[in-house]
Amino acid sequence: MPICISPELPAYQALLNEHIFVMDSDRAAHQDIRPLRILVLNIMPKKLETELQLLRLLSNTPLQVDVSLLRMESHISKNTSQSHLDAFYTTLNEIRGKFYDGMIITGAPVEQMPFEKVDYWNEICELMAWSKTHVFSTMHICWGAQAGLYYHFGVPKYQLPKKMFGIFPHRTEVKKSLLLRGFDDVFDVPHSRHTEVRRGDIEKVKELVILTSSELSGVHIVANRNGRQYFITGHSEYDRNTLAAEYFRDREKGLDIEMPFNYFPHNDPMEMPRFSWRCHANLMFSNWLNYCVYQRTPFDLGELPLRNWNWEMDV
């Protein structure tokens, strides 16, 4: 089944060109099913690129998914036109009374700043508080994961001695996790960050469990035991060339940037990067939509505030 997005969104035609099934709202209205309602808070600088990456992954299930894009009202984007934001994005104030099956909070290039110094910190805290009664399951990515762990559980982040940059092998720690169904024992994930969260801090919080980790890049996926929050420190949504673009951009700026780990064949930046994480990225997002959202969210989303937030399930 398709994802439902505006045909005017630039990603619409790009997805069609990739033979991904998308439909507009008029056609979706004639489907005799209730689509999953997914909200995406996109705070990445290259919003059009992130839109396409996430929509590509959200489309890879038999479920119909109605995607809404959200922006921070208190932040002025430097890399995305205001006309694009006005046409395709909404704000928290505009959706405050609505309910969603799932939400994704992306990363953001603010990780080296204290959380409280980020210009939209108060607004994103308000959103995360709102999500507990208006969203069934929330997936937090990279800085979004660090922000969520800090806001909800007081887990701090720490500056790394150098950027965690490349493709790192990971292992599963919880074999029966809903999010990890079908995962191999070892799988690759891209990372691009200057800060980290630490195992010792997470293990002090009884509501949290570490699902996956890497000996090289540390904690990867953390779950709330109630199954309604996932915190992911990597970027499984990245395309083949995303890290290459970051590397060449920083090198052209004269920044002290190392070659991405385990990325270019033979460590030759002129060779095409290996795309070794796509299968597990698709599997993780489809597992989230199916097992963590569709199979458990109420048919009537208005019942969400009545759900017990403190119940525990098989994560």
Side-chain angles (χ1 to χ4, degrees):
M1 293 297 287
I3 52 172
C4 178
I5 56 177
S6 168
E8 304 301 320
L9 190 71
Y12 187 93
Q13 189 59 50
L15 292 169
L16 285 180
N17 292 340
E18 296 178 20
H19 305 290
I20 291 174
F21 189 11
V22 293
M23 68 166 58
D24 60 32
S25 56
D26 289 338
R27 183 176 178 187
H30 292 87
Q31 303 289 312
D32 191 22
I33 57 175
R34 182 180 83 75
L36 290 180
R37 299 185 64 193
I38 303 297
L39 185 65
V40 177
L41 172 63
N42 185 1
I43 44 179
M44 289 289 278
K46 295 184 177 180
K47 288 182 171 44
L48 277 73
E49 180 179 294
T50 302
E51 291 165 11
L52 181 57
Q53 291 171 352
L54 291 175
L55 290 171
R56 187 183 288 123
L57 291 167
L58 291 171
S59 70
N60 196 38
T61 75
L63 305 169
Q64 183 174 315
V65 181
D66 188 351
V67 178
S68 298
L69 299 171
L70 182 68
R71 64 181 175 88
M72 293 281 91
E73 195 169 12
S74 54
H75 177 73
I76 298 175
S77 177
K78 299 178 181 178
N79 300 283
T80 305
S81 70
Q82 190 61 43
S83 61
H84 182 85
L85 297 175
D86 291 341
F88 303 113
Y89 282 71
T90 187
T91 65
L92 178 58
N93 283 326
E94 293 171 324
I95 62 160
R96 194 177 295 275
K98 297 181 179 181
F99 299 92
Y100 294 86
D101 298 283
M103 178 169 69
I104 297 171
I105 298 177
T106 72
V110 294
E111 58 178 308
Q112 297 192 77
M113 300 171 60
F115 291 115
E116 293 82 1
K117 295 295 183 181
V118 175
D119 60 1
Y120 49 82
W121 178 247
N122 289 338
E123 186 178 0
I124 202 170
C125 288
E126 187 179 4
L127 173 70
M128 290 190 288
W130 170 87
S131 72
K132 294 179 69 172
T133 53
H134 288 74
V135 179
F136 184 75
S137 181
T138 301
M139 177 185 288
H140 309 69
I141 298 174
C142 200
W143 181 83
Q146 295 180 352
L149 287 168
Y150 180 72
Y151 170 77
H152 290 292
F153 303 105
V155 174
K157 63 182 172 73
Y158 300 89
Q159 186 74 28
L160 289 166
K162 65 178 182 178
K163 186 176 184 179
M164 190 68 66
F165 191 42
I167 311 301
F168 298 91
H170 294 65
R171 60 185 177 86
T172 59
E173 297 193 21
V174 179
K175 300 300 183 182
K176 294 183 179 181
S177 165
L178 296 173
L179 191 69
L180 305 180
R181 286 190 176 184
F183 266 49
D184 294 322
D185 289 339
V186 179
F187 59 97
D188 285 345
V189 178
H191 286 263
S192 178
R193 53 186 167 83
H194 295 273
T195 56
E196 67 174 352
V197 291
R198 294 178 180 170
R199 176 179 293 270
D201 294 323
I202 293 165
E203 290 177 339
K204 294 176 184 176
V205 182
K206 62 181 179 59
E207 294 91 345
L208 299 177
V209 57
I210 297 171
L211 301 183
T212 61
S213 63
S214 167
E215 292 183 3
L216 299 175
S217 56
V219 172
H220 175 227
I221 302 178
V222 180
N224 188 325
R225 294 182 187 275
N226 67 12
R228 295 181 63 179
Q229 293 172 322
Y230 294 93
F231 308 91
I232 303 168
T233 64
H235 279 288
S236 293
E237 79 281 5
Y238 271 7
D239 293 328
R240 178 196 301 271
N241 292 311
T242 305
L243 292 183
E246 289 186 24
Y247 171 67
F248 292 126
R249 177 202 64 198
D250 289 353
R251 196 172 68 172
E252 289 173 4
K253 290 181 178 179
L255 300 178
D256 183 17
I257 181 71
E258 293 186 3
M259 188 177 298
F261 174 79
N262 192 32
Y263 181 57
F264 294 113
H266 312 109
N267 279 334
D268 182 353
M270 295 300 103
E271 292 198 31
M272 180 180 292
R274 300 184 184 95
F275 203 171
S276 61
W277 62 95
R278 177 166 43 185
C279 289
H280 284 88
N282 278 293
L283 185 57
M284 182 177 71
F285 275 80
S286 63
N287 282 349
W288 178 64
L289 285 175
N290 183 24
Y291 299 118
C292 306
V293 180
Y294 176 72
Q295 300 291 345
R296 297 180 179 270
T297 190
F299 184 83
D300 180 359
L301 287 176
E303 297 177 2
L304 274 178
L306 304 177
R307 289 296 179 102
N308 182 3
W309 181 258
N310 297 315
W311 61 281
E312 186 168 319
M313 62 176 262
D314 179 5
V315 297

